[in-house]
Amino acid sequence: MKATVFTSILLLTTSAAFAGGPGHCYDPSTRAGYVCASDACVGNAAATKTSGSCKACGQKLAEVKSLTHVAVVLYDGVDLFDVAGPSKAFANAGGYYVYTVTEEGNAIRSGGLEVAPDFSIHECPWPDVLVVAGKGAPDMMRNWIELVGKDADYVLKTGGVTSGIDGALTIIAKTKGEESARRAARAMEYESWLAQAGGQR
């Protein structure tokens, strides 16, 4: 079900995928290959054409198409804290393919740091979840966010570190189950969410 997430879930109507979207975002064939299921492993960074075991950690590779795709939007000046928190939550939960996107695939600068993205908006895989922080994206990127967001299952708009993590954990609970959300929260030592989720550790 289509949803936009702030600090809570707002249900919207579902819209079907349509042709002519930007880049490859609406082409299911972009979800090809295999990656290491562990986000902490270097084998998670790029898909390979064949199945097998990760050369870095030995874990069995997962089919990219079996993972829920999370596109994290980056642009110059974006608050990296606002996107790092939810990205880490999805990675800790497991079952997600988390990748970063910029307008042209160029590195962005924020807080004195330079961050290289995984994809440009013209070549990124079709996302199920879109993570957007702040309102400072350039016009072309804002148009892309609006267009792709119409077909994403969830759009997570973050305006702070904790709201972003809370929103991500809410999406995880809805898509992968409460235990996956608790696992992610425990890995981040995010006690306040665990307490709200019933105190289960």
Side-chain angles (χ1 to χ4, degrees), residues 22-61:
H24 297 279
C25 286
Y26 293 89
D27 181 1
S29 68
T30 59
R31 299 186 173 195
Y34 301 82
V35 293
C36 181
S38 172
D39 187 74
C41 178
V42 294
N44 183 269
T48 63
K49 293 183 178 180
T50 57
S51 60
S53 300
C54 177
K55 295 180 179 179
C57 71
Q59 184 173 206
K60 183 179 179 180
L61 296 177

Side-chain angles (χ1 to χ4, degrees), residues 58-195:
Q59 184 173 206
K60 183 179 179 180
L61 296 177
E63 283 190 276
V64 172
K65 66 181 181 181
S66 72
L67 304 174
T68 300
H69 284 46
V70 179
V72 181
V73 173
L74 299 179
Y75 53 88
D76 284 330
V78 67
D79 192 325
L80 295 177
F81 282 114
D82 290 351
V83 294
S87 299
K88 187 65 174 176
F90 286 116
N92 285 337
Y96 294 91
Y97 181 40
V98 184
Y99 51 93
T100 51
V101 183
T102 62
E103 185 173 326
E104 297 296 336
N106 299 326
I108 61 97
R109 291 195 63 83
S110 178
L113 299 176
E114 185 172 89
V115 180
D118 296 308
F119 300 99
S120 75
I121 62 175
H122 309 289
E123 63 182 7
C124 75
W126 175 9
D128 300 299
V129 180
L130 199 58
V131 178
V132 184
K135 300 179 179 179
D139 288 343
M140 184 177 177
M141 178 66 92
R142 287 202 301 271
N143 292 338
W144 180 85
I145 291 168
E146 182 178 356
L147 181 59
V148 175
K150 290 178 180 178
D151 197 53
D153 294 328
Y154 294 91
V155 178
L156 173 54
K157 295 184 177 180
T158 71
V161 178
T162 56
S163 68
I165 296 173
D166 287 342
L169 291 171
T170 299
I171 293 172
I172 292 166
K174 287 181 172 291
T175 57
K176 304 296 183 182
E178 291 286 345
E179 181 50 41
S180 291
R182 283 193 288 269
R183 180 169 61 248
R186 286 194 296 267
M188 301 177 76
E189 298 183 350
Y190 195 44
E191 300 294 336
S192 62
W193 193 87
L194 287 167

